[in-house]
Amino acid sequence: MSYEQEKQVAIEAALAAAKLCEKVRTERVPESIEKSDKSPVTVADFGSQAVICRAIAAAFPNDLVIGEENAAELRQPTMANQLAQVTSYVQSVVGDVTSDDVLNWIDRGNSEIGERYWTLDPIDGTKGFLRQDQYAVALALVELGEVKLGVLACPALPVDLDRPDGEKGVLFVAVRGEGATMMPLSGGEAQPIRVTAADDVANMRFVESVESGHGDHGRQDAIAKAVGITASSLRMDSQAKYGAVASGRAALYLRLPSPKTPDYREKIWDHAAGTIVVEEAGGRVTDMYGKPLNFSLSAKLVENQGVIVSSGAIHDTVLAALSSGG
Ligand SMILES: Nc1ncnc2c1ncn2[C@@H]1O[C@H](COP(=O)(O)O)[C@@H](O)[C@H]1OP(=O)(O)O
Ligand SMILES: [Mg+2]
Ligand SMILES: [Mg+2]
Ligand SMILES: [Mg+2]
């Protein structure tokens, strides 16, 4: 199965959502709303989820969607201002809709896992988005636990990482068995991408989160050194890190459990799209014990701890360094 229709719907939805996010970011200093788990959310996160759930509902009315956000808080009378803002941003990309439509689309993203489901992070890296840094709109289709399609829109990512002041905005797309591509968000031809070659010394660097609470920077540094990476890490928010590995700009992405939250379990929407983009570019993704990420259980990757993403060639060496206590 080629997933042609799914791919077109996912790309168009992600592009519209990315446009909404950039509009929010250029028009205002986005207000950070605190969720019950103390993590931030903004009107752009809600707007992005509404736009993407709307598109999936229109094309695949029976499909399940598991998105990060829900509209419970936005339905509170105290949130009327924010709801009006979300509605107006959604209108700016999809035309005339009501606040009720918006709330219902957001809540379409609260399904349970089934045999076939979409998983959506409307803004992955909200902290990066708030800092005017990296973030991604991440959407993936999973069937029987296998990611079949992934789309990552990274509006703030330089098209050429060596020219950070050059054009920004990259779209990564992967379909199982068909490879991975990237193209500028502004349009143009989709170019096939490939992970870095084993002898590519210039790109022998690793990526990790900006947030110290989302990983273990000290141990990540030590592991990178143990496998021969001498360059210091490139710190980047969001699944843009998967894009960096998939496009050969880094050989490794390390995400080891933070000592502050050792029991944290990663969420499916934080990894599904990135995983297929890297795998289809020739790389490998496992947890820190070498187990594949199990997307068939729940919104949390309950059977996995830590995430290791690599160009493939160095993957076993990284796992060995981890198991020997590095
Ligand atoms: N303790 C944690 N360990 C790993 N990831 C976390 C932790 N807490 C939150 N996250 C998630 O990390 C993602 C961002 O990763 P990065 O720092 O690499 O950009 C967010 O989706 C965030 O979830 P949430 O969306 O709930 O804030
Ligand atoms: Mg996320
Ligand atoms: Mg998010
Ligand atoms: Mg979040």
Side-chain angles (χ1 to χ4, degrees), residues 172-196:
F172 297 97
V173 179
V175 176
R176 184 67 62 195
E178 293 181 12
T181 60
M182 81 182 242
M183 68 172 193
L185 272 188
S186 59
E189 278 288 293
Q191 303 292 334
I193 49 172
R194 208 52 218 162
V195 292
T196 184

Side-chain angles (χ1 to χ4, degrees), residues 3 5 17 31 52 63 117 123 125 154 233 237 244:
Y3 299 98
Q5 192 196 352
E31 177 199 358
I52 291 178
D63 276 4
Y117 71 86
I123 291 188
C154 305
S233 72
D237 300 285

Side-chain angles (χ1 to χ4, degrees), residues 250-280:
L252 182 64
Y253 164 20
L254 291 171
R255 189 179 189 85
L256 299 174
S258 163
K260 293 178 204 160
T261 51
D263 296 326
Y264 182 81
R265 286 295 180 276
E266 300 286 341
K267 311 285 175 40
I268 53 175
W269 52 76
D270 285 327
H271 297 283
T275 293
I276 188 170
V277 169
V278 164
E279 288 178 347
E280 284 298 320

Side-chain angles (χ1 to χ4, degrees), residues 27-86:
E27 285 183 4
R28 61 176 67 233
V29 177
E31 177 199 358
S32 172
I33 304 163
E34 195 174 90
K35 294 201 280 190
S36 55
D37 66 357
K38 304 262 183 256
S39 69
V41 65
T42 72
V43 293
D45 299 64
F46 289 124
S48 169
Q49 180 151 327
V51 164
I52 291 178
C53 287
R54 171 187 179 270
I56 295 173
F60 306 103
N62 298 320
D63 276 4
L64 307 172
V65 186
I66 303 169
E68 181 185 353
E69 310 303 342
N70 71 70
E73 201 153 333
L74 215 45
R75 291 181 191 275
Q76 301 302 314
T78 50
M79 297 287 282
N81 266 341
Q82 286 90 343
L83 176 58
Q85 280 174 29
V86 176

